[in-house]
Amino acid sequence: ATASPAAALATPTPALPPTATPWPVPPAARMTGFTHVFQEWNNCGPATMVMALTHFGRVLSQRDTALVLRPDPEDRNVTPAEMAAFVNDTQDGLRAVARINGDLPLLKRLLANNVPVIIEIGFDPPGEYRWLGWYGHYLLPVAYDEAAGQFWVYDSWLGTSEVPQTNADANGRVLSEADLEADWNQFNHSYIVLYEAAQEGLVAQLLGDALDDEAMWAASLGRAQADAARDPGNAFYWFNLGSTYNALGRFEEAAAAFDQARAIGLPWRMLWYQFGPYEAYYRVGRYDDVVLLTQTTLQDRPYFEESYYYLGLAQRALGDTVAARQNLEKAHALNPGFAPAEKALAELPADS
């Protein structure tokens, strides 16, 4: 049986000491050297990466970048890990690291020290585009002002204004600290830091304990538990809690947290971007739930290698190795660089 939602909050992790800030953060700062790029269709990840790399004098085509990040043009999602790997694998002299559990002080430290950072957020389109509904989205913060309580961001879709595809202010689109925090929370405060190899020591100082997986996930657990206890009606808090329990290998508690998030209600596109429920349910033997969720996600948008992968795993566990092979092959075809599907295929019986 899956643990109850109450049990998911019942085992707090001792708080870690805060990471020391290597020097005072100024009340306001702005990075320069970025060139804004409007995204083509379904291309916010590649376009935002191209924008971030302009800071280092790299001029890339978003179409060429997309061919690496999402080989199938219908793929709706590029993960932060894939974004970081793109830099590390293709950009000589540059490095990138993908982390979760960021916060506003960290964003300010990075911007004040001239280190680009991309964040992943939940996004409700404004105005006439509101009918489109919630999406996952990437942003490039470029400045902040503590007195005004705001950040400026370069947005590949909205441009630098609130009117989609319009650049009204070269300084960037304004987001209040509260709005940025609320949107960022919907992706467990996920971020990607880009830096030159010579900045390795600086970035290590700025990120501190967040570079250590064990410390990062322990801090994330304490935060997610506190958030869900404070506001138990927020589905994103429970989802973050489930994601963190997954990372810690506590799958029964993860499944309970995801059950609670789904009971409260999540955006229908949620599993386009984050796949924690698949992992938790698979690990606790809820294979039929994995099949149902993946098939629902793929019904009208059959473009997610992660969904095909988990569908194949569940079908293999249920004894249907023929269907498992078909779906794992679909995952591999959509993204030949998706190593888990390749590994799972190799583990299937040869006659399936």
Side-chain angles (χ1 to χ4, degrees):
T2 300
S4 69
L9 299 177
T11 323
T13 299
L16 293 169
T19 301
T21 304
W23 42 72
V25 174
R30 172 171 292 278
M31 289 188 65
T32 58
F34 294 110
T35 299
H36 183 269
V37 174
F38 281 113
Q39 72 182 70
E40 296 179 351
W41 178 80
N42 189 33
N43 222 31
C44 81
T48 307
M49 176 57 69
V50 167
M51 282 194 285
L53 289 172
T54 63
H55 177 76
F56 302 103
R58 308 289 173 101
V59 181
L60 279 71
S61 155
Q62 69 169 292
R63 292 186 182 183
D64 291 343
T65 302
L67 288 175
V68 179
L69 285 171
R70 50 182 195 89
D72 190 297
E74 292 289 353
D75 187 355
R76 300 299 204 270
N77 177 52
V78 177
T79 67
E82 290 170 332
M83 297 269 277
F86 173 83
V87 176
N88 294 326
D89 294 344
T90 71
Q91 301 300 304
D92 291 343
L94 298 183
R95 304 284 186 271
V97 59
R99 303 274 86 187
I100 58 93
N101 198 45
D103 57 27
L104 300 187
L106 172 62
L107 288 188
K108 294 172 184 177
R109 287 202 301 274
L110 291 166
L111 294 178
N113 286 282
N114 218 37
V115 177
V117 55
I118 295 169
I119 64 173
E120 189 173 20
I121 66 162
F123 174 68
D124 284 297
E128 63 182 294
Y129 293 90
R130 187 168 297 279
W131 66 271
L132 290 169
W134 183 96
Y135 276 93
H137 195 44
Y138 284 108
L139 294 178
L140 179 67
V142 297
Y144 69 89
D145 185 327
E146 291 186 337
Q150 67 187 38
F151 280 79
W152 287 261
V153 299
Y154 273 22
D155 187 319
S156 64
W157 190 57
L158 287 181
T160 59
S161 76
E162 289 298 326
V163 181
Q165 298 289 294
T166 303
N167 273 340
D169 185 344
N171 286 328
R173 181 165 74 88
V174 172
L175 267 178
S176 72
E177 291 188 356
D179 285 345
L180 189 152
E181 168 63 30
D183 294 345
W184 196 14
N185 168 71
Q186 296 169 22
F187 278 81
N188 210 10
H189 301 89
S190 174
Y191 61 100
I192 306 132
V193 178
L194 294 77
Y195 56 96
E196 295 175 327
Q199 295 177 297
E200 191 94 40
L202 169 64
V203 171
Q205 284 185 299
L206 294 171
L207 296 187
D209 289 339
L211 283 175
D212 177 80
D213 284 351
E214 184 177 351
M216 178 186 74
W217 287 112
S220 176
L221 178 58
R223 182 181 192 171
Q225 287 177 323
D227 285 344
R230 183 184 70 255
D231 184 5
N234 186 316
F236 295 111
Y237 289 157
W238 289 98
F239 199 99
N240 292 342
L241 184 57
S243 299
T244 301
Y245 276 133
N246 269 351
L248 295 171
R250 294 164 62 171
F251 299 111
E252 292 284 353
E253 291 159 298
F258 288 127
D259 285 344
Q260 188 70 3
R262 293 174 57 216
I264 295 167
L266 292 163
W268 67 271
R269 293 187 179 96
M270 191 70 172
L271 297 186
W272 288 20
Y273 309 103
Q274 300 187 75
F275 316 105
Y278 299 158
E279 176 74 8
Y281 297 160
Y282 173 74
R283 293 284 193 153
V284 301
R286 291 169 55 179
Y287 306 125
D288 289 332
D289 286 340
V290 177
V291 171
L292 176 62
L293 280 178
T294 53
Q295 289 182 336
T296 300
T297 301
L298 293 166
Q299 182 174 357
D300 297 318
R301 301 289 191 279
Y303 310 121
F304 303 103
E305 66 266 25
E306 297 89 354
S307 292
Y308 281 116
Y309 166 70
Y310 280 102
L311 176 57
L313 291 187
Q315 289 169 328
R316 181 184 66 183
L318 290 167
D320 190 349
T321 55
V322 173
R325 179 173 293 278
Q326 291 172 345
N327 286 301
L328 290 170
E329 286 176 346
K330 288 178 182 177
H332 186 261
L334 281 169
N335 186 350
F338 187 56
E342 186 174 5
K343 180 176 183 293
L345 278 168
E347 293 170 349
L348 282 175
D351 58 351
S352 63

